[in-house]
Each structure stands twice: as C-alpha cells, then as structure tokens.
Amino acid sequence: MQEQLLSHYVDSLHRDVSFFCSETLRKEGITVGLMYFILYVCKYPGSTPAQLARDLALDRAYVLRTINKLVENGFCKRVSHPTDGRATMLYATEKGEEIFRVSRDLLHRWDMCVLEDMTEAEKEQLFVLLEKVQKKIQKKGK
C-alpha cells in the first residue's frame, strides 16, 4: 500500500479550492490569496494587522503589503485605533463586503460539490477529525 500523507491531501484540496474560486474572483478584481484576508477582516471587523498576522500565522511585513493592496483597491479601510496611536484597525468597505459574500458563496458551493457523495454522518466525522488536527496545529504554534 502506498504511503498516505495528510500534507498531500491538504495541498490537493487547497489547489482545487483555489482553482474553483479563481475565475470568479478574477472577474471581481481580486485574487484567491487576497480573498482570505477579506474573509478575516469581515469576520473580525476592527482587527489590527498584528492580530491578522498572528491568527493567520503570516509574516507581518507580508500582511502589511497585502493590506496596502486591499486599501489601494478599495476593499478595506484603515481606521486609527482609539487608544493606541501607533495601531490601525481594519474594516471592509462596501466593495470588500461584496467580495466577502461572493467568496462565502463560492466556498459553500465548493463544499457542496466535494462533499455531495458523503452521508451526514461521514461529513460530521470528517469535520470532527479536521478540527482535532487544527487544534493540534494551533497548540503546536503557541
């Protein structure tokens, strides 16, 4: 039997979801990579770039460059932090909120496509196991 690696499946799933979303997002003027930032900012309005970098486990310089792109293209806006003059808080603009809705719809459609042959019990088991893996990764990163 051939060796099975979780990393192989994760990589394959990531490439497939990216391909699935890319054409629609390109028409909206955004890349798949930027989509994840918008999803975060919409889920956590008022978050700071430092929080985003920490939660997504990304380099702060990369996060700042990406946020600059989102701001320049009108998807997000920066607001001065009320108590920390050095920090800014991030919010989606109306354009960013629309990308959030489009992205969520794409991701739900992808889920439906790849999970359609699974029973509800299998889906539940899959998500329980994936959450267990995710918690292990989060614990390891701290």
Side-chain angles (χ1 to χ4, degrees):
M1 182 174 160
Q2 187 176 356
E3 179 183 27
Q4 292 183 310
L5 296 172
L6 177 61
S7 58
H8 168 76
Y9 290 104
V10 169
D11 181 56
S12 178
L13 292 168
H14 182 263
R15 279 187 281 120
D16 192 70
V17 75
S18 295
F19 181 77
F20 184 85
C21 295
S22 65
E23 185 177 338
T24 299
L25 292 175
R26 189 178 15 251
K27 291 176 186 173
E28 298 289 338
I30 196 161
T31 65
V32 173
L34 294 176
M35 172 188 75
Y36 291 106
F37 282 80
I38 290 176
L39 289 170
Y40 183 92
V41 170
C42 287
K43 188 173 180 181
Y44 304 104
S47 57
T48 65
Q51 290 168 324
L52 194 152
R54 182 193 66 229
D55 291 351
L56 297 182
L58 296 170
D59 176 71
R60 288 174 88 152
Y62 172 72
V63 167
L64 291 173
R65 285 191 308 272
T66 304
I67 290 169
N68 286 339
K69 286 180 193 176
L70 292 171
V71 170
E72 289 169 13
N73 291 304
F75 295 107
C76 291
K77 62 183 175 181
R78 287 186 185 96
V79 175
S80 295
H81 195 284
T83 59
D84 183 352
R86 298 171 297 159
T88 58
M89 300 181 312
L90 303 169
Y91 294 92
T93 61
E94 203 171 297
K95 188 175 176 182
E97 291 285 347
E98 178 58 26
I99 293 298
F100 175 77
R101 287 187 288 278
V102 168
S103 300
R104 292 290 301 215
D105 179 60
L106 282 169
L107 295 172
H108 284 290
R109 287 190 354 234
W110 184 84
D111 278 9
M112 288 174 50
C113 288
V114 298
L115 301 175
E116 70 183 348
D117 295 333
M118 289 187 180
T119 66
E120 290 304 313
E122 288 171 330
K123 291 176 195 177
E124 186 176 327
Q125 181 182 23
L126 173 64
F127 287 115
V128 165
L129 294 172
L130 288 171
E131 282 181 28
K132 189 173 184 178
V133 170
Q134 186 178 34
K135 284 179 183 175
K136 176 69 173 181
I137 291 168
Q138 289 170 340
K139 187 188 290 186
K140 188 181 91 174
K142 292 181 180 181

